[in-house]
PDB file of all heavy atoms in Angstrom:
ATOM      1  N   LEU X 338      54.084 151.367 103.670  1.00  0.00           N
ATOM      2  CA  LEU X 338      53.844 152.799 103.746  1.00  0.00           C
ATOM      3  C   LEU X 338      52.697 153.126 104.677  1.00  0.00           C
ATOM      4  O   LEU X 338      51.682 153.705 104.203  1.00  0.00           O
ATOM      5  CB  LEU X 338      53.672 153.396 102.366  1.00  0.00           C
ATOM      6  CG  LEU X 338      55.018 153.602 101.648  1.00  0.00           C
ATOM      7  CD1 LEU X 338      54.667 154.211 100.242  1.00  0.00           C
ATOM      8  CD2 LEU X 338      55.754 154.751 102.434  1.00  0.00           C
ATOM      9  N   ASN X 339      52.706 152.672 105.863  1.00  0.00           N
ATOM     10  CA  ASN X 339      51.679 153.029 106.890  1.00  0.00           C
ATOM     11  C   ASN X 339      51.827 154.266 107.348  1.00  0.00           C
ATOM     12  O   ASN X 339      53.023 154.988 107.092  1.00  0.00           O
ATOM     13  CB  ASN X 339      51.771 152.042 108.069  1.00  0.00           C
ATOM     14  CG  ASN X 339      51.570 150.600 107.686  1.00  0.00           C
ATOM     15  OD1 ASN X 339      50.778 150.285 106.751  1.00  0.00           O
ATOM     16  ND2 ASN X 339      52.296 149.666 108.334  1.00  0.00           N
ATOM     17  N   THR X 340      50.890 155.070 107.976  1.00  0.00           N
ATOM     18  CA  THR X 340      51.025 156.388 108.405  1.00  0.00           C
ATOM     19  C   THR X 340      52.122 156.474 109.437  1.00  0.00           C
ATOM     20  O   THR X 340      52.774 157.530 109.665  1.00  0.00           O
ATOM     21  CB  THR X 340      49.737 156.967 108.920  1.00  0.00           C
ATOM     22  OG1 THR X 340      49.205 156.172 110.028  1.00  0.00           O
ATOM     23  CG2 THR X 340      48.690 157.083 107.865  1.00  0.00           C
ATOM     24  N   ASP X 341      52.417 155.421 110.197  1.00  0.00           N
ATOM     25  CA  ASP X 341      53.405 155.470 111.244  1.00  0.00           C
ATOM     26  C   ASP X 341      54.839 155.277 110.654  1.00  0.00           C
ATOM     27  O   ASP X 341      55.831 155.482 111.422  1.00  0.00           O
ATOM     28  CB  ASP X 341      53.160 154.336 112.280  1.00  0.00           C
ATOM     29  CG  ASP X 341      52.965 152.910 111.693  1.00  0.00           C
ATOM     30  OD1 ASP X 341      52.104 152.787 110.971  1.00  0.00           O
ATOM     31  OD2 ASP X 341      53.938 152.175 111.899  1.00  0.00           O
ATOM     32  N   ASN X 342      55.027 155.180 109.271  1.00  0.00           N
ATOM     33  CA  ASN X 342      56.342 155.086 108.658  1.00  0.00           C
ATOM     34  C   ASN X 342      56.564 156.243 107.781  1.00  0.00           C
ATOM     35  O   ASN X 342      57.349 156.200 106.789  1.00  0.00           O
ATOM     36  CB  ASN X 342      56.455 153.794 107.897  1.00  0.00           C
ATOM     37  CG  ASN X 342      56.437 152.553 108.893  1.00  0.00           C
ATOM     38  OD1 ASN X 342      56.802 152.614 110.017  1.00  0.00           O
ATOM     39  ND2 ASN X 342      55.995 151.439 108.347  1.00  0.00           N
ATOM     40  N   MET X 343      55.798 157.333 108.019  1.00  0.00           N
ATOM     41  CA  MET X 343      55.902 158.526 107.115  1.00  0.00           C
ATOM     42  C   MET X 343      56.366 159.602 108.007  1.00  0.00           C
ATOM     43  O   MET X 343      55.859 160.095 108.965  1.00  0.00           O
ATOM     44  CB  MET X 343      54.463 158.976 106.590  1.00  0.00           C
ATOM     45  CG  MET X 343      53.931 157.985 105.582  1.00  0.00           C
ATOM     46  SD  MET X 343      54.646 157.824 103.978  1.00  0.00           S
ATOM     47  CE  MET X 343      54.196 159.511 103.389  1.00  0.00           C
ATOM     48  N   SER X 344      57.602 160.163 107.660  1.00  0.00           N
ATOM     49  CA  SER X 344      58.325 161.253 108.392  1.00  0.00           C
ATOM     50  C   SER X 344      57.603 162.567 108.277  1.00  0.00           C
ATOM     51  O   SER X 344      57.076 162.914 107.098  1.00  0.00           O
ATOM     52  CB  SER X 344      59.753 161.340 107.937  1.00  0.00           C
ATOM     53  OG  SER X 344      60.292 162.580 108.446  1.00  0.00           O
ATOM     54  N   ILE X 345      57.563 163.300 109.341  1.00  0.00           N
ATOM     55  CA  ILE X 345      56.938 164.660 109.310  1.00  0.00           C
ATOM     56  C   ILE X 345      57.954 165.639 108.631  1.00  0.00           C
ATOM     57  O   ILE X 345      57.507 166.715 108.292  1.00  0.00           O
ATOM     58  CB  ILE X 345      56.465 165.088 110.723  1.00  0.00           C
ATOM     59  CG1 ILE X 345      55.419 166.164 110.869  1.00  0.00           C
ATOM     60  CG2 ILE X 345      57.799 165.550 111.452  1.00  0.00           C
ATOM     61  CD1 ILE X 345      54.176 165.638 110.282  1.00  0.00           C
ATOM     62  N   LEU X 346      59.155 165.163 108.320  1.00  0.00           N
ATOM     63  CA  LEU X 346      60.108 165.948 107.658  1.00  0.00           C
ATOM     64  C   LEU X 346      60.266 165.648 106.210  1.00  0.00           C
ATOM     65  O   LEU X 346      61.167 166.170 105.561  1.00  0.00           O
ATOM     66  CB  LEU X 346      61.434 165.980 108.408  1.00  0.00           C
ATOM     67  CG  LEU X 346      61.482 166.320 109.828  1.00  0.00           C
ATOM     68  CD1 LEU X 346      62.972 166.416 110.273  1.00  0.00           C
ATOM     69  CD2 LEU X 346      60.821 167.793 110.111  1.00  0.00           C
TER      70      LEU X 346
END
Side-chain angles (χ1 to χ4, degrees):
L338 280 177
N339 301 325
T340 57
D341 54 290
N342 293 332
M343 297 283 293
S344 165
I345 204 67
L346 300 185

